[in-house]
Amino acid sequence: MQHPIRHAEEAPDKPAYIMAESREVVTYSELADASKQGANVFRRLGIDAGDHIAIFMENHPSFFKVLWAAQRAGIIFTAVSSHLKPAEVCYIVENCDAKALITSPKLVDTARSALADISKSIDLFCVDGGAPGFQSWELALANVPEESIPEECAGVHMLYSSGTTGLPKGVYPTWQPSRPIDHIEPGMAALRDAFQIDSDTIYLSPAPLYHAAPLIFNQLAQFQGGTSIIMENFDAEEALSLIDEFKVTTAQFVPIMFVRMLKLDGAVVEKYDVTSIRIAIHAAAPCPVKVKQQMIDWWGPVIFEYYSSTENAGATMLSSQQWLEHPGSVGLPLGCVVHILDDEGNELPFGEIGEVYFENPANKFEYFKEPEKTEATRNDHGWITVGDIGYLDETGFLYLSDRKNFTIISGGVNIYPQEIENMLINHPEVDDVAVFGIPCDEFGQQVKAVVQPRNGVDSDDQLEAELIDWCRNRMSNIKVPKSISFDPALPRLDNGKLYKQEIAAVYQQGVSV
């Protein structure tokens, strides 16, 4: 493993990454020069090793130029979701103590609104020439020395939880002063080795760069001297086209992307050759069993899955072969021990559902400036949970049920929405679905589903009845939705997770049946 500047010396004209839509190529030489100049900009601003900056961009050609500048200047960098509202951006930028924010023309208006009343001084930059109230990043680069900064040292990312169940929390990294810029975190190194990322890797990145997985995997590809193909926005057919065109070897998806590809017309699918894929990784949410089986049938045993979190509290992983033997599992523990506990903290036997805890002494994460929330993730043993529900089988494979906060309790029975969502998404007329509980006088809560139908209808009594029968014929009555509403476009975070809190709020407020 080498820092990208080493690859610039050995293969200066090799593409570090290619933007899929614009076809803009950034070579290792260009990436090394831009990151060298950017590091000088940060030092000139008085941003030293251990200080924080924020990167607020869509999937933009300058994203990794800024990131690697921060990385070789020892800076802690926070990538902010490009889909947040001004108040949400302001909260993260203030909370992470950013001394500078770098944005793009597409997001500069949101950034301007977000920071209009910020309580601290911060240097503001916009790529592609600047904007009113923002300095030009390119002009700043042009006015600094061409040599590397003295005493380069490794920076690290500090990412925020998605905030689907409250304010987002910064996951403070294991930053240490004076580590060489070639340093790679042990967790990242484990992913590199597990997924065989090397200089021959051509990595398709279909998700937003601010999210943990694409941020980490693209860094790994560039650490190793591979080439990333970065999609500005995900499109199912375009993803297949890019795999075919660039002979992609490695890619990472979330389950809803698999669903979108599987629902393409057969004639479209047959146009593209995907046999170059040797490893297709998926994570972020449990994958419906039928969906994953169809992907393995289509692409072969190249589908790998891992389960982790922004906190990296622990991880599991499994191959296609292991999944075929344990369908529905998210894998065996990777460098940790998994425990399943009940609400009183007692360990549950195999097959019983409870909260997932990781015993992982190597993980020392904390939520930035949130000691109480950090403490709430630990039990008396020091085991860590991020609020997921699941169970272990007798061979130690982990299965996820849902998030603890999404559990529906109806008549004293726990119902896990993920199981119902996985059932409904396999119906041919369903493009997306959210399941949650709504108030019920008799049972406390009842099951509610909101479906994004393929034909885009706002409401359809016939389809509602058909989907309820679909569930009734496949699962116990208590899990069957009592009603189904329709929405032409369900809000889904770019990491593949439903923004279920926002959807449920529309139907839960003032409802009692």
CSV table of all heavy atoms in Angstrom, one decimal, residues 408-415 438-447 478 482:
chain,number,residue,atom,x,y,z
A,408,ILE,N,-42.1,-2.6,15.7
A,408,ILE,CA,-43.5,-2.4,15.9
A,408,ILE,C,-44.0,-3.4,17.0
A,408,ILE,O,-43.7,-4.6,17.0
A,408,ILE,CB,-44.4,-2.7,14.7
A,408,ILE,CG1,-43.9,-1.8,13.5
A,408,ILE,CG2,-45.8,-2.5,14.9
A,408,ILE,CD1,-44.4,-2.2,12.1
A,409,ILE,N,-44.6,-2.9,18.1
A,409,ILE,CA,-45.2,-3.7,19.1
A,409,ILE,C,-46.7,-3.7,19.0
A,409,ILE,O,-47.3,-2.7,19.3
A,409,ILE,CB,-44.7,-3.2,20.5
A,409,ILE,CG1,-43.2,-3.2,20.6
A,409,ILE,CG2,-45.2,-4.2,21.6
A,409,ILE,CD1,-42.6,-2.6,21.8
A,410,SER,N,-47.3,-4.8,18.6
A,410,SER,CA,-48.7,-4.9,18.4
A,410,SER,C,-49.2,-6.0,19.3
A,410,SER,O,-48.9,-7.2,19.1
A,410,SER,CB,-49.0,-5.2,16.9
A,410,SER,OG,-50.4,-5.2,16.7
A,411,GLY,N,-50.1,-5.7,20.2
A,411,GLY,CA,-50.6,-6.7,21.1
A,411,GLY,C,-49.6,-7.4,21.9
A,411,GLY,O,-49.7,-8.6,22.3
A,412,GLY,N,-48.5,-6.7,22.2
A,412,GLY,CA,-47.4,-7.3,23.0
A,412,GLY,C,-46.4,-8.1,22.2
A,412,GLY,O,-45.4,-8.6,22.7
A,413,VAL,N,-46.6,-8.2,20.9
A,413,VAL,CA,-45.7,-9.0,20.0
A,413,VAL,C,-44.8,-8.0,19.2
A,413,VAL,O,-45.3,-7.0,18.7
A,413,VAL,CB,-46.6,-9.8,19.0
A,413,VAL,CG1,-45.6,-10.6,18.1
A,413,VAL,CG2,-47.4,-10.8,19.8
A,414,ASN,N,-43.5,-8.3,19.2
A,414,ASN,CA,-42.6,-7.5,18.4
A,414,ASN,C,-42.6,-7.9,17.0
A,414,ASN,O,-42.5,-9.1,16.6
A,414,ASN,CB,-41.1,-7.8,18.9
A,414,ASN,CG,-40.9,-7.1,20.2
A,414,ASN,OD1,-41.7,-6.3,20.8
A,414,ASN,ND2,-39.7,-7.4,20.8
A,415,ILE,N,-42.8,-6.9,16.1
A,415,ILE,CA,-42.8,-7.1,14.6
A,415,ILE,C,-41.7,-6.3,14.0
A,415,ILE,O,-41.6,-5.1,14.3
A,415,ILE,CB,-44.2,-6.7,14.1
A,415,ILE,CG1,-45.3,-7.5,14.7
A,415,ILE,CG2,-44.2,-6.9,12.6
A,415,ILE,CD1,-46.7,-7.0,14.4
A,438,ILE,N,-48.3,2.4,13.3
A,438,ILE,CA,-49.1,3.5,13.6
A,438,ILE,C,-50.0,3.2,14.8
A,438,ILE,O,-50.3,2.0,15.1
A,438,ILE,CB,-50.0,3.9,12.4
A,438,ILE,CG1,-51.0,2.8,12.0
A,438,ILE,CG2,-49.2,4.4,11.2
A,438,ILE,CD1,-52.0,3.2,10.9
A,439,PRO,N,-50.4,4.2,15.5
A,439,PRO,CA,-51.2,4.0,16.8
A,439,PRO,C,-52.5,3.2,16.5
A,439,PRO,O,-53.1,3.4,15.5
A,439,PRO,CB,-51.5,5.4,17.3
A,439,PRO,CG,-50.5,6.3,16.7
A,439,PRO,CD,-50.2,5.7,15.3
A,440,CYS,N,-52.8,2.3,17.5
A,440,CYS,CA,-54.0,1.5,17.4
A,440,CYS,C,-54.6,1.4,18.8
A,440,CYS,O,-53.8,0.9,19.7
A,440,CYS,CB,-53.7,0.1,16.8
A,440,CYS,SG,-55.0,-1.1,16.8
A,441,ASP,N,-55.8,1.8,19.0
A,441,ASP,CA,-56.4,1.7,20.4
A,441,ASP,C,-56.4,0.3,20.9
A,441,ASP,O,-56.2,0.1,22.1
A,441,ASP,CB,-57.8,2.3,20.3
A,441,ASP,CG,-57.8,3.8,20.1
A,441,ASP,OD1,-56.8,4.5,20.4
A,441,ASP,OD2,-58.9,4.4,19.7
A,442,GLU,N,-56.7,-0.7,20.1
A,442,GLU,CA,-56.9,-2.0,20.6
A,442,GLU,C,-55.5,-2.7,20.9
A,442,GLU,O,-55.4,-3.3,21.9
A,442,GLU,CB,-57.7,-2.8,19.6
A,442,GLU,CG,-58.0,-4.2,20.1
A,442,GLU,CD,-58.9,-5.0,19.2
A,442,GLU,OE1,-59.2,-4.5,18.1
A,442,GLU,OE2,-59.2,-6.2,19.5
A,443,PHE,N,-54.6,-2.6,20.0
A,443,PHE,CA,-53.3,-3.3,20.1
A,443,PHE,C,-52.1,-2.5,20.3
A,443,PHE,O,-51.0,-3.0,20.4
A,443,PHE,CB,-53.1,-4.1,18.8
A,443,PHE,CG,-54.1,-5.2,18.5
A,443,PHE,CD1,-55.1,-5.0,17.6
A,443,PHE,CD2,-54.2,-6.3,19.3
A,443,PHE,CE1,-56.1,-5.9,17.3
A,443,PHE,CE2,-55.1,-7.3,19.0
A,443,PHE,CZ,-56.1,-7.1,18.1
A,444,GLY,N,-52.3,-1.2,20.5
A,444,GLY,CA,-51.1,-0.3,20.7
A,444,GLY,C,-50.5,0.2,19.4
A,444,GLY,O,-50.4,1.4,19.2
A,445,GLN,N,-50.2,-0.7,18.5
A,445,GLN,CA,-49.7,-0.3,17.2
A,445,GLN,C,-50.2,-1.3,16.2
A,445,GLN,O,-50.5,-2.5,16.5
A,445,GLN,CB,-48.2,-0.3,17.1
A,445,GLN,CG,-47.5,0.9,17.8
A,445,GLN,CD,-46.0,0.9,17.5
A,445,GLN,OE1,-45.3,-0.1,17.9
A,445,GLN,NE2,-45.5,2.0,17.0
A,446,GLN,N,-50.4,-0.9,14.9
A,446,GLN,CA,-50.6,-1.9,13.9
A,446,GLN,C,-49.7,-1.6,12.7
A,446,GLN,O,-49.1,-0.5,12.6
A,446,GLN,CB,-52.1,-1.8,13.4
A,446,GLN,CG,-52.5,-0.5,12.7
A,446,GLN,CD,-53.9,-0.5,12.1
A,446,GLN,OE1,-54.1,-0.1,11.0
A,446,GLN,NE2,-54.8,-1.1,12.9
A,447,VAL,N,-49.6,-2.5,11.8
A,447,VAL,CA,-48.6,-2.5,10.7
A,447,VAL,C,-49.2,-1.6,9.6
A,447,VAL,O,-50.3,-1.8,9.1
A,447,VAL,CB,-48.2,-3.9,10.2
A,447,VAL,CG1,-47.3,-3.8,9.0
A,447,VAL,CG2,-47.7,-4.7,11.3
A,478,ILE,N,-50.4,-11.5,11.8
A,478,ILE,CA,-50.0,-10.3,12.6
A,478,ILE,C,-49.0,-9.4,11.9
A,478,ILE,O,-48.9,-8.2,12.2
A,478,ILE,CB,-49.5,-10.8,14.0
A,478,ILE,CG1,-49.5,-9.6,15.0
A,478,ILE,CG2,-48.1,-11.4,13.9
A,478,ILE,CD1,-49.2,-9.9,16.4
A,482,LYS,N,-52.2,-3.7,7.8
A,482,LYS,CA,-53.6,-3.5,7.8
A,482,LYS,C,-54.1,-2.5,6.8
A,482,LYS,O,-55.2,-2.5,6.4
A,482,LYS,CB,-54.0,-3.0,9.2
A,482,LYS,CG,-53.7,-4.0,10.3
A,482,LYS,CD,-54.4,-5.3,10.1
A,482,LYS,CE,-54.1,-6.3,11.2
A,482,LYS,NZ,-52.7,-6.9,11.1
